[in-house]
Amino acid sequence: MNTAFRAVLSPCIGVCTLDDDGLCEGCLRTTSEIARWSQMNDDERLRLMEHVLPGRERARAPWADRLREGELLRRALHPLGAVPGAPGWNHEELIDLLPPGQLAEAAVLAGLVPRAEGTQVLLTRRTDGLRHHGGQVSFPGGRVEPTDTDVVAAALRESREEIALPAAQAVPLGFLDPFTTISGFRVVPVVAVIDPSFVPQPEPNEVADVFEVPLDYLLAPDSLRRVEVDYRGRRRVVLEYGWPGQRIWGATAAILFNLRERLERSA
């Protein structure tokens, strides 16, 4: 992507609430900078996006720099300015099982929490009574709505609705590869650093539990197993982690596997 094209892209992510410092919680611009955006020339926009806003991000979220895998992740992920548009990396293996029509767009937030004992991955367990995926372990997330600016906005909105995560306590880093679900969604995982002081407040109609699993455990090859299941008369292999008290499998395990693969290729 060339510099001139990047310069016209607004940093707005659809979270338009002012914080105590008078900055937008989503894009970190002042109200004046937001109002003047359409009148700025390319040099002004570039300076704001490449120098001013990153500086405000670092000042707002010093905890984000405590993520020990930060530099490796930035090399491994698709950058925030380049949302991957490809079909899910597993799309071909599901081609004969998917519902008819175009895939629906969805986003999830793969949250990484920097802690003294090592990076943790934030996961939820869905409420048992849900019509779809009840009782399953998942990332916060869901369908991209027409009101969402992009997949980052969708992932942050869903995280706010499901576990009360404020946008100010999440710093998006980039994207994993899209993943196709058997229910007909193309899911884009947004990887973000989560403020370690964040205290989840699960929405009881959607989320029964919020818990953390060490990233080191999820990246270890021996932690992941492949299980054969029958689905519509066909044998399929699904991935599964056996974390104590939780069954992390299916789409969530596959997204974590994709994270492991991308990190290994970038090491």
Side-chain angles (χ1 to χ4, degrees):
M1 185 179 293
N2 63 50
T3 296
F5 183 72
R6 284 190 295 118
V8 302
L9 295 178
S10 169
C12 178
I13 60 171
V15 181
C16 302
T17 303
L18 295 182
D19 63 18
D20 293 339
D21 296 323
L23 300 177
C24 173
E25 287 190 356
C27 69
L28 297 183
R29 290 180 294 174
T30 65
T31 53
S32 173
E33 289 165 344
I34 294 171
R36 289 184 53 247
W37 181 260
S38 60
Q39 282 79 46
M40 290 182 183
N41 60 40
D42 285 353
D43 288 340
E44 289 177 300
R45 290 174 179 172
L46 266 182
R47 179 179 175 277
L48 187 68
M49 290 193 295
E50 296 188 347
H51 300 286
V52 176
L53 298 185
R56 289 176 185 166
E57 187 75 78
R58 289 190 295 271
R60 181 187 74 167
W63 39 265
D65 292 332
R66 302 209 303 264
L67 193 72
R68 67 185 186 188
E69 300 86 2
E71 287 305 313
L72 179 58
L73 279 163
R74 287 178 176 86
R75 295 198 302 270
L77 301 174
H78 298 280
L80 289 174
V83 182
W89 56 265
N90 63 326
H91 188 83
E92 290 302 317
E93 68 182 68
L94 299 181
I95 199 72
D96 59 330
L97 297 174
L98 293 172
Q102 187 174 358
L103 295 177
E105 294 293 312
V108 297
L109 192 78
L112 305 178
V113 187
R115 302 218 181 266
E117 64 273 23
T119 301
Q120 307 288 306
V121 178
L122 190 72
L123 294 167
T124 71
R125 182 170 58 81
R126 313 291 292 177
T127 301
D128 289 335
L130 288 175
R131 181 180 177 185
H132 299 294
H133 312 298
Q136 292 186 11
V137 171
S138 66
F139 294 107
R143 184 189 294 267
V144 177
E145 301 292 349
T147 53
D148 293 320
T149 307
D150 55 21
V151 292
V152 174
L156 291 173
R157 174 185 53 76
E158 289 282 350
S159 299
R160 183 176 66 253
E161 293 173 358
E162 292 182 13
I163 61 173
L165 174 66
Q169 289 188 284
V171 176
L173 299 178
F175 307 102
L176 292 171
D177 297 319
F179 180 81
T180 299
T181 69
I182 208 161
S183 53
F185 285 87
R186 189 188 82 108
V187 181
V188 178
V190 180
V191 179
V193 190
I194 304 298
D195 185 348
S197 69
F198 166 61
V199 179
Q201 300 175 45
E203 163 52 53
N205 292 323
E206 295 189 62
V207 177
D209 189 23
V210 181
F211 63 99
E212 297 179 2
V213 178
L215 179 61
D216 284 347
Y217 169 83
L218 296 169
L219 296 182
D222 291 345
S223 300
L224 186 66
R225 56 178 176 259
R226 288 164 170 78
V227 181
E228 287 193 352
V229 298
D230 286 312
Y231 185 80
R232 296 182 187 172
R234 199 182 96 178
R235 298 292 286 175
R236 291 188 59 229
V237 175
V238 297
L239 302 176
E240 181 178 337
Y241 291 90
W243 185 247
Q246 305 287 354
R247 186 189 180 203
I248 306 169
W249 70 290
T252 303
I255 289 170
L256 290 166
F257 173 67
N258 181 240
L259 173 62
R260 190 186 92 189
E261 282 199 316
R262 293 193 67 89
L263 287 171
E264 288 175 347
R265 291 199 298 264
S266 299

